[in-house]
Amino acid sequence: MTKLAIVYLSTQGSTQMMAEAIAEGVSQKHIEVRVNNFYEWDPKDAATYDGIAIGSSTFYYKMLEPIAKFLDALIAEGVEGKVGAAFGSYGWSGEAPVMIAEKMREAGMKVVDPVLRIQYVPDEKDLKECQRLGKDIAMKLKKLVKE
């Protein structure tokens, strides 16, 4: 079965809310999904999934350092050709998801656009956008499996 790993680091809980809503959208399209904060993941395990979505809040115009290190370790495992997605919450600048997506593209991943950035705590409309991203990821995964 096609599988998606959702890895996130959330400082205030907003990125976690996004991750869970993305997972809901993915599972509605019958794709197996595992969503956990990055402490629960080993990059080697995440690299075995067909798709990987990574979320980080933005801190001082960057992705959180533990996520940056996780992403580097994940890429070292070999992720070329896999589906990737980036998301995150922010207070005022919001660069982290864009940086994650850039690194994924450089590693040869097929990144789902647009990158999802939500300011502050996601409201109901924002969570629906997250579910939509989950569905888009699922459709891209299904297309990849057919190729």
Side-chain angles (χ1 to χ4, degrees):
M1 184 172 192
T2 308
K3 300 185 306 183
L4 174 71
I6 300 178
V7 182
Y8 67 87
L9 181 54
S10 185
T11 54
Q12 306 283 320
S14 298
T15 301
Q16 178 180 358
M17 289 172 66
M18 293 176 70
E20 290 167 356
I22 292 166
E24 196 176 310
V26 170
S27 58
Q28 286 173 10
K29 292 292 183 183
H30 311 292
I31 298 285
E32 188 179 320
V33 61
R34 177 177 161 210
V35 56
N36 276 40
N37 71 52
F38 97 103
Y39 297 107
E40 311 280 323
W41 280 101
D42 180 324
K44 285 182 170 73
D45 292 338
T48 67
Y49 282 65
D50 305 293
I52 304 146
I54 297 181
S56 173
S57 41
T58 298
F59 190 68
Y60 284 111
Y61 310 102
K62 295 183 186 157
M63 69 179 102
L64 298 171
E65 189 61 30
I67 282 289
K69 289 179 180 174
F70 182 93
L71 187 53
D72 289 341
L74 178 73
I75 290 168
E77 291 298 319
V79 291
E80 188 173 347
K82 293 182 183 283
V83 171
F87 63 96
S89 61
Y90 66 98
W92 46 93
S93 60
E95 292 88 352
V98 175
M99 295 169 133
I100 292 167
E102 279 176 21
K103 287 193 101 162
M104 288 177 156
R105 282 188 189 93
E106 288 168 8
M109 294 181 78
K110 299 173 184 197
V111 178
V112 176
D113 284 315
V115 168
L116 187 56
R117 304 178 321 150
I118 293 175
Q119 191 171 24
Y120 305 121
V121 178
D123 62 20
E124 192 175 324
K125 179 180 140 295
D126 296 328
L127 293 174
K128 290 216 182 303
E129 273 303 303
C130 294
Q131 289 174 359
R132 176 122 200 83
L133 175 60
K135 290 175 184 174
D136 290 348
I137 295 167
M139 298 312 285
K140 192 155 189 165
L141 280 167
K142 287 182 176 189
K143 185 178 176 191
L144 184 69
V145 169
K146 284 181 183 174
E147 290 175 356

